[in-house]
Amino acid sequence: MATYIVGDIQGCFKTFIDLLKVINFNKNGDTIYLLGDFLNRGPSSLAMIDFVYNNQNNIKVILGNHEVFALSLYYKAKFVSKSHTLQQLLEHKNANKWFDFLKQQPLIIKHEDNYLVHAGILPQLSLEEALTKSHEISQLIQNNPTDFLSDFYAEHKYSIEDKMSLYEKNKVYLASFIFMRMCYNDFKVDNYYTGTLEDAPNYLIPWFKLRNDYQKVFFGHWAAIGYLNYNNYFALDSGCGWGKQLSCYCLESNKLVQVNNLDI
């Protein structure tokens, strides 16, 4: 039995299937964790959600910003303000069961001593605190996706302020889990820089360099840095949604597997 963690697929279904062949994925014993953003941008979001839905026993997912965006569209929490490739999925006869499934998915998964998140975890939160906060936010999404996601997209800040209510803080935590890349020295979050580490201004610090966890933390979202291993932090978005490779990490062997894009 093997456990694999896969970076952002972004609707590149052929590439994902090719990866399963390369790793010789065994449905009877292996488990795959997807780090979010398995939908949108690529050509086959419908095929991706259908495959994930039909293989829930051994394919586990966390929500990335593209899944949260998809939920907001389906539950009419946000007017479409940017282009997307989700229309077929939104209008499909199975959309109701797919989106009901999607809104039940977590924002952070703990597997043994490994933590999985789409974008990042605020430096001032312990991993267990972040996991607890993620459960609270998941309940908000599950119980009333329309209202909560409408509030989230209407206005959310990226850093915690003392005067905030718990509800407002949960919107900040959600933003960090699905959007965060860079922080300032005082742990406030920058929401603008998306480039490489080499080109980053010196006043910005990657969120993971402000942490010191003994557990391994796996994340995606940051295509510009590609695959990266910094101490116990592993970035696995290698730009599949932009026509580049798809990355996969095996926990048992500590080996990286990458396949070329077959979709874009």
Side-chain angles (χ1 to χ4, degrees):
M1 296 189 293
T3 308
Y4 299 96
I5 303 175
V6 179
D8 303 33
I9 300 168
Q10 300 211 283
C12 293
F13 183 65
K14 291 180 181 178
T15 307
F16 177 57
I17 294 301
D18 186 50
L19 173 67
L20 298 186
K21 293 176 182 176
V22 169
I23 64 176
N24 195 24
F25 181 65
N26 179 2
K27 286 185 177 182
N28 296 320
D30 296 346
T31 302
I32 283 184
Y33 290 92
L34 305 184
L35 287 174
D37 280 11
F38 62 95
L39 299 179
N40 204 17
R41 187 168 284 136
S44 303
S45 289
L46 194 153
M48 274 302 310
I49 190 67
D50 188 54
F51 189 84
V52 168
Y53 181 86
N54 289 317
N55 292 276
Q56 297 175 43
N57 288 338
N58 46 21
I59 297 182
K60 313 297 181 182
V61 303
I62 57 175
L63 299 179
N65 53 296
H66 284 275
E67 286 76 45
V68 173
F69 176 70
L71 285 167
S72 74
L73 293 176
Y74 184 73
Y75 290 105
K76 296 180 171 53
K78 180 187 180 186
F79 291 109
V80 179
S81 59
K82 61 181 180 180
S83 62
H84 61 81
T85 63
L86 299 168
Q87 202 59 39
Q88 278 189 320
L89 193 160
L90 294 167
E91 296 174 351
H92 196 275
K93 64 180 181 180
N94 291 330
N96 186 59
K97 72 175 184 180
W98 288 337
F99 280 98
D100 186 66
F101 160 77
L102 197 61
K103 75 176 181 179
Q104 308 299 322
Q105 303 313 303
L107 291 157
I108 298 177
I109 288 178
K110 180 183 179 183
H111 172 74
E112 297 176 348
D113 267 347
N114 305 285
Y115 285 77
L116 285 61
V117 65
H118 177 62
I121 296 174
L122 290 171
Q124 60 266 49
L125 287 180
S126 71
L127 293 177
E128 282 298 325
E129 287 172 334
L131 186 62
T132 299
K133 299 298 181 186
S134 76
H135 292 161
E136 294 173 3
I137 298 165
S138 292
Q139 284 297 310
L140 292 170
I141 294 173
Q142 291 164 21
N143 293 340
N144 196 336
T146 303
D147 286 353
F148 178 67
L149 292 177
S150 292
D151 287 346
F152 175 71
Y153 281 109
E155 182 182 11
H156 62 264
K157 297 184 177 180
Y158 291 90
S159 299
I160 296 293
E161 299 173 4
D162 291 338
K163 63 182 179 180
M164 286 180 170
S165 66
L166 176 60
Y167 185 80
E168 291 300 316
K169 287 179 179 179
N170 277 333
K171 293 196 292 182
V172 175
Y173 296 135
L174 175 57
S176 67
F177 297 153
I178 66 174
F179 290 133
M180 184 170 65
R181 294 183 180 93
M182 286 288 198
C183 296
Y184 298 92
N185 266 322
D186 61 1
F187 294 174
K188 289 184 178 179
V189 177
D190 168 77
N191 187 40
Y192 299 101
Y193 187 76
T194 63
T196 66
L197 298 184
E198 293 77 14
D199 293 336
N202 58 14
Y203 56 83
L204 292 178
I205 305 168
W207 65 268
F208 50 86
K209 290 191 176 184
L210 291 170
R211 300 188 61 88
N212 186 29
D213 302 295
Y214 72 86
Q215 305 97 324
K216 289 181 179 178
V217 179
F218 293 86
F219 63 98
H221 186 61
W222 202 342
I225 66 175
Y227 169 73
L228 176 73
N229 173 207
Y230 174 83
N231 294 338
N232 287 333
Y233 305 93
F234 295 80
L236 289 175
D237 181 2
S238 47
C240 186
W242 303 99
K244 298 181 181 179
Q245 291 182 314
L246 177 62
S247 291
C248 170
Y249 188 92
C250 178
L251 289 180
E252 288 75 21
S253 67
N254 293 314
K255 289 184 178 179
L256 175 72
V257 177
Q258 294 180 307
V259 296
N260 291 328
N261 195 300
L262 300 180
D263 293 84
I264 299 175

